[in-house]
Amino acid sequence: MERRSGIDRRKGKPGLFSSRSRRQKPGRRTGEHIGYVDVYDLRTWLVTTAILTLSLLDGVLTGLQLHHGRITEANPLMRVTLDYGGVYLFLGVKATLTALALAVIILHKNWALGRRAVRVCLWSYILVSLYHIYLAMDLRH
């Protein structure tokens, strides 16, 4: 039994390759809300891995710079950890704190604040790594 009326229901609406978007308002549809997602895409995993790697690199390079007497640890918590626990505890605490903060940020990746926080975190570690490279190059002279 055919139910079609013969009237094109898409008439007047933009086509697939039209420059006009179907969605008139930004954001989600009415009734939908931002929620938690337990499946993460490759980009999220890559950014997370990059941040953790840069954090550990920061820890190792900080340890080397401290060993050469070129810098002092600016973070009071990490300074106490380094003074009383040594380099291995320092790296362990640094990795743990970074991973916990990153877990909270990634858990909220669908929120604008979460997306901004992960960008700020990644760029901060990139800049800190560049600073360490600068200090390492300065060490040679």
Side-chain angles (χ1 to χ4, degrees):
M1 178 181 244
E2 185 73 28
R3 291 191 196 184
R4 295 183 189 170
S5 67
I7 300 170
D8 187 359
R9 62 183 170 84
R10 297 173 296 175
K11 198 166 194 113
K13 295 198 177 184
L16 183 61
F17 298 106
S18 172
S19 63
R20 200 176 100 200
S21 172
R22 283 185 183 207
R23 183 173 280 186
Q24 300 298 320
K25 297 179 191 173
R28 297 185 167 270
R29 292 180 198 97
T30 306
E32 288 184 3
H33 51 40
I34 297 174
Y36 295 100
V37 178
D38 59 351
V39 177
Y40 299 99
D41 58 349
L42 179 63
R43 182 173 183 258
T44 301
W45 285 111
L46 290 174
V47 169
T48 303
T49 304
I51 290 171
L52 284 173
T53 302
L54 289 170
S55 173
L56 290 175
L57 179 67
D58 172 42
V60 169
L61 293 175
T62 297
L64 288 172
Q65 295 293 330
L66 288 167
H67 178 71
H68 289 287
R70 304 278 295 167
I71 62 170
T72 59
E73 176 59 48
N75 183 337
L77 172 66
M78 297 309 288
R79 189 177 327 122
V80 169
T81 304
L82 190 59
D83 290 343
Y84 294 105
V87 173
Y88 294 114
L89 183 63
F90 172 78
L91 291 174
V93 169
K94 182 165 187 57
T96 302
L97 291 176
T98 303
L100 288 173
L102 197 53
V104 171
I105 291 170
I106 296 301
L107 186 62
H108 294 90
K109 75 180 190 82
N110 291 337
W111 278 263
L113 183 60
R115 289 189 298 271
R116 269 189 240 118
V118 86
R119 278 189 219 112
V120 166
C121 190
L122 180 61
W123 279 106
S124 296
Y125 275 118
I126 289 170
L127 292 174
V128 166
S129 296
L130 291 173
Y131 177 66
H132 277 298
I133 290 169
Y134 167 75
L135 289 176
M137 291 174 73
D138 193 40
L139 248 181
R140 293 183 199 163
H141 299 291

